[in-house]
Amino acid sequence: MSKYEPLKRHLATLPVPVWRTSFREIERILGFPLPPSSRRHRALWSNNPQNHVMTKAWLNAGWLTEQVDLEKEELVFRKTGSGGNGNPSAGSPPAAKSPFAGLKGTVRIHADFNITEPTGEEWSAERGIL
């Protein structure tokens, strides 16, 4: 069992779709201080399941974080509607399996273009341009 299980249980029992809270309140629920990096690095509060064991607690409870304010030490948890399996609902972006997943469909290659053809210096040398 993770030491962040109390946060998971707390989130799983909340009857509201949005919970605005403070780092201190989370520490009260956990019974111990948050890691020092939680007050310095916004990335610790991202919804990437590979980020930190704490992240898995809220994702597995069916929640996502947003509006993280490191200066005020506050954030918002939003229920995903996933029923607690860590998968965001249709309204939330799925966890990316590739760092380029967000670019899918943004680049189109013309049907007549051969992507295996040499480019740059190789292309110039083959054509006697160098």
Side-chain angles (χ1 to χ4, degrees):
M1 172 162 60
S2 164
K3 69 180 190 174
Y4 294 99
E5 188 69 22
L7 176 61
K8 177 182 172 184
R9 283 194 311 265
H10 178 79
L11 288 167
T13 62
L14 286 176
V16 295
V18 176
W19 181 45
R20 181 175 298 279
T21 190
S22 67
F23 293 5
R24 282 185 185 243
E25 177 64 10
I26 294 170
E27 290 172 329
R28 187 193 65 71
I29 292 164
L30 292 172
F32 58 86
L34 289 167
S37 57
S38 69
R39 288 176 160 80
R40 291 190 310 265
H41 303 291
R42 185 176 317 284
L44 188 88
W45 297 102
S46 77
N47 295 302
N48 177 349
Q50 279 75 43
N51 186 38
H52 190 273
V53 67
M54 181 171 62
T55 307
K56 291 178 184 175
W58 67 72
L59 291 176
N60 289 335
W63 293 75
L64 295 173
T65 57
E66 56 186 47
Q67 300 177 32
V68 177
D69 186 332
L70 295 180
E71 188 175 307
K72 291 182 181 178
E73 296 189 354
E74 296 176 342
L75 73 148
V76 171
F77 284 93
R78 183 172 304 279
K79 196 176 283 192
T80 65
S82 68
N85 63 7
N87 295 322
S89 65
S92 303
K97 294 182 180 176
S98 160
F100 305 107
L103 297 174
K104 183 177 181 181
T106 62
V107 176
R108 300 193 190 262
I109 299 171
H110 192 274
D112 295 334
F113 184 76
N114 181 353
I115 61 172
T116 63
E117 211 173 283
T119 61
E121 290 179 11
E122 282 185 52
W123 180 85
S124 299
E126 284 182 5
R127 287 170 174 66
I129 299 174
L130 281 177

